Amino acid sequence: MAGRGDPPEGTPEGFPGGEDEYRSVVFDEAFIRAAHLQEFSAQERMGEYAQAVRSRSSWEGRSGSRQAVLLVLLIILAFGTAIYLGVRNPYQPPVDERAEPLRTTVVPLAPQGPVPGGTPTQLFAHSPVAEYRTGAAGINLPIAGRTSHFAESQVVTGLSIAKDYLVASSLEPDVLSGATVRPARLLLDPDQLEQFDRSVESPSDDGRHALAGWLVRFDPRQVALAEPAARVQGTLRFEETSPDTLDVTADHTYTYALRPAAQGSGPVAAASLFTVHRVVHFRFDREDLRMHRAELLTSTVEAGPQACGPDTTGSLKPLLAGARASDAGGGPVVTDPYATARPAAPALCGALAPSAQPSL
C-alpha cells in the first residue's frame, strides 16, 4: 500500500525526487523552533534611498527659527523708530508745573458828576458801546498759528479756555448776581482753588485775595441787572513764554445796564451803565491744555462809576442813576475804561473820563 504522500499507484517509475532524494533537506522540529524570523520596515527595505525625502519635522524647525529671528528684528526696528521719533518730536509730553498765585489790582473809577440814567436801549445807543457786540460774541478768538513748541490745535485750545473763563466770570448772569461762583471755579487750575475760595469767603486788599480780580459780581442787595446781556469788546493775544508754557492775555471792556435791586410795586427806576475794563493774563502748561483749565497770573480791573472810599475787593458797588461820588472823582488819573491796550491806572482810585458816560 502506498504512503499518504504518494500517488495511489506509487511513485512513477523514472520520476526523480522520490522520498529518498529529499531526505537530506528535511528540517527536524528542533531546527524549526530555533529559527528567527525578521521583517524589515519600509524605510529599511528602501535601503540607501530612504534619505531622498527631507524630514518634515526638520523643515518646520528651521522655518520656526527663521520666523522667531524675523520677529525679534521687527521688534528692535519698531523700538528704535519710537525712540528716534520721541527725540525728534518737538511736542514733548505734558509737564505739569505748580501754578503761581494770582496777583490782583482793582481800581475804582469815580464819576465827576451825576451818573446818567435812562432805559438800557437809550444808554447803550448813546455811549461808546453803541457798536459793541452782545455777550460772548464780543470775545473773538484771533487767528491762531503754531509756535515753536505748541501745535496750532494747542494754541486754539488755550484761547478757547481763556474765552470760556471770561464768559463764566464776566457774563454769566448767576455769577454777576452773586448766586454762584461755580462756572468760573470749575475752570481753574487746582493749585489756585484755595486762593480763589479764600477770595470768595474773605476778600481783602492784599494783592492776592480781591474777588473782583477773579470775577465780576455785584452786591445783590443793592444792584440788579436791567438787561441780562452785557456789551463787550476787546482782544486776545497769545505767545509762547517757554517750551512748556503758553500765555494768553485778555484785554476787554464789559458794559452792564444796572438798576436798584428793590423795585417794589412803584415805577421802574432808571437804569445806568457800569463799565469794567479787565486785563487778565493766563498761563497754560500742557496739562492745563489737556484738562481744559486755566492758571491766572495777573488780573487788573478798572471799574466805574463807583466811589473810591468803600472796599471794592469783594462785590463791586456801582453808583446808580443820579448818584454822585462823595469825593467828586478826585483820583489823580482820569481814566477811560474803553481805551484798551494800555497800562492800568497806577493808583488806588481813578477819575472816570466824561467820555465814558452816555451823552443823553
Side-chain angles (χ1 to χ4, degrees), residues 118-120 222-227 257-263 268-272 320-321:
T119 67
Q222 305 293 327
V223 177
L225 294 173
E227 184 172 314
L258 307 176
R259 60 167 44 102
Q263 291 291 316
V268 176
S272 61
L320 301 177

Side-chain angles (χ1 to χ4, degrees), residues 175-186:
V175 173
L176 297 175
S177 64
T180 183
V181 297
R182 182 175 173 80
R185 191 180 190 278
L186 289 175

